[in-house]
Amino acid sequence: MDVADLVERARRGHPRAVARLISLVEDASPELREVMAALAPHTGRARVIGLTGSPGVGKSTTTAMLVRALRGQGRRVGVLAVDPSSPFTGGALLGDRVRMQDHATDDGVFIRSMASRGHLGGLAWATPQALRVLDAAGCEVILVETVGVGQAEVDIAGLADTTLVLVAPGMGDSIQAAKAGILEIADVFVVNKADREGAQSTVRDLRNMVALATRDWKPAIVPTVAARNEGADDLVQALDKHQAWLEESGELQRRRLARVRDEIEAIALTSLRVDLRDDGRLDTLADRVLAGSLDPYTAADELLA
């Protein structure tokens, strides 16, 4: 494989080259280090927007609506849609793309489904590096759609510049809205399916919660009906307003620095785990801990040393 040629074609926006690079990332290819080194000078420009929420709130439909609105502004868009992997077979349906077929022939949009492969938190382990590929390929905005998540699965907040939390009427009362976890990571709330009964009540509950927040940024609350493309302009306006605040406050630089720090740490820990598994001393230390002649903390210190 000619990595330099592949990277150059990806930078020119060739979809097959972009897809090939993301496949190398997902497969942890031996060429991955060379690929990342070649991509590094061309990254750091894309705006990353995360979409998360419980199953059934309309994340894929909202993502498709956002793609349509952003393409209307002439922006090049990338989409990473993370689907859950089966805990039994390891397979994944990768069906989020089905809801985005309207954009399948648009060469200004690149859509990639990724399997979570057992990774918790709503994302796939390869998502950060896949973001780098799309960034280097010239995507101005990258939308990351998580799997259906619960209240404690908040990895997307550490990956995105702006996090959208989607809720829908009838999927929880005001007590649910006040719970800690996923609702605390929102930079923008999207009340989707706002044509349903109870939408105004959901908006009111969220407003009450936002009013109690002590954060510098007060999340906007945007009602939408994504299936009918209603609320798209208001949502893009809210996203742009948050982006302006990020840049003016210096929060954008802080978030991106934290994101890269987490990425480096994850890569280092993965390499360390591989080394530990290949180190025969681990079994010896485990035998000693099991026999009671050594405690696990001392064993870990010996292994690291």
Side-chain angles (χ1 to χ4, degrees), residues 29 44 64-65 101 104 127 129 161 175 181 184 198-199 214-215 236 242 252 265 275 279 281 288 295:
S29 166
M65 180 182 73
Q101 285 303 300
T127 305
Q129 285 73 47
D161 300 327
I175 301 300
E184 292 183 342
T214 58
R215 297 164 55 189
V236 171
H242 184 251
L252 181 64
E265 180 182 315
D275 290 343
D279 193 323
R281 287 173 294 181
R288 293 174 61 191
D295 69 274

Side-chain angles (χ1 to χ4, degrees), residues 276-287 303:
L276 291 179
R277 281 197 297 266
D278 294 341
D279 193 323
R281 287 173 294 181
L282 179 59
D283 291 335
T284 302
L285 290 168
D287 286 338
L303 192 60

Side-chain angles (χ1 to χ4, degrees), residues 23-278:
S23 293
L24 293 178
V25 168
E26 290 189 292
D27 296 339
S29 166
E31 290 87 3
L32 185 54
R33 291 178 182 272
E34 184 181 354
V35 167
M36 287 298 134
L39 291 177
H42 312 292
T43 58
R45 302 177 181 87
R47 177 178 168 191
V48 182
I49 298 173
L51 296 92
T52 190
S54 302
V57 295
K59 292 188 296 295
S60 295
T61 311
T62 301
T63 300
M65 180 182 73
L66 265 179
V67 170
R68 191 176 300 110
L70 293 168
R71 288 297 295 145
Q73 297 178 346
R75 305 190 201 185
R76 185 172 174 82
V77 181
V79 178
L80 293 176
V82 183
D83 282 308
S85 297
S86 167
F88 302 103
T89 66
L93 181 60
L94 302 181
D96 286 334
R97 288 177 296 183
V98 174
R99 299 184 181 94
M100 304 180 204
Q101 285 303 300
D102 291 348
H103 311 293
T105 58
D106 186 346
D107 59 7
V109 180
F110 183 91
I111 301 172
R112 175 70 173 233
S113 285
M114 305 179 71
S116 63
R117 299 190 182 186
H119 185 83
L120 301 178
L123 299 174
W125 75 270
T127 305
Q129 285 73 47
L131 280 175
R132 289 184 174 277
V133 173
L134 293 181
D135 188 358
C139 292
E140 299 167 76
V141 181
I142 303 173
L143 305 176
V144 182
E145 179 193 333
T146 72
V147 303
V149 296
Q151 290 168 328
E153 294 168 308
V154 295
D155 281 7
I156 188 62
L159 190 70
D161 300 327
T162 301
T163 301
L164 273 64
V165 172
L166 278 72
V167 296
M171 299 190 71
D173 56 17
S174 58
I175 301 300
Q176 290 291 107
K179 282 186 177 180
I182 191 172
L183 293 178
E184 292 183 342
I185 69 173
D187 296 308
V188 176
F189 285 107
V190 178
V191 181
N192 193 34
K193 306 180 182 181
D195 54 341
R196 291 185 176 182
E197 182 180 354
Q200 290 304 314
S201 176
T202 301
V203 171
R204 183 176 61 250
D205 290 340
L206 289 172
R207 282 177 179 160
N208 291 337
M209 189 188 72
V210 168
L212 297 173
T214 58
R215 297 164 55 189
D216 293 336
W217 169 258
K218 298 293 186 181
I221 302 168
V222 183
T224 65
V225 184
R228 298 205 298 260
N229 206 45
E230 295 177 10
D233 292 340
D234 292 339
L235 182 52
V236 171
Q237 185 177 0
L239 291 172
D240 289 343
K241 185 176 180 180
H242 184 251
Q243 181 71 12
W245 176 81
L246 287 173
E247 294 172 356
E248 292 167 5
S249 66
E251 180 69 7
L252 181 64
Q253 177 67 14
R254 189 200 67 79
R255 290 190 182 193
R256 291 186 172 181
L257 184 62
R259 183 165 80 208
V260 174
R261 188 168 59 239
D262 290 345
E263 183 181 2
I264 295 169
E265 180 182 315
I267 293 171
L269 289 175
T270 299
S271 297
L272 182 60
R273 288 191 188 99
V274 172
D275 290 343
L276 291 179
R277 281 197 297 266
D278 294 341

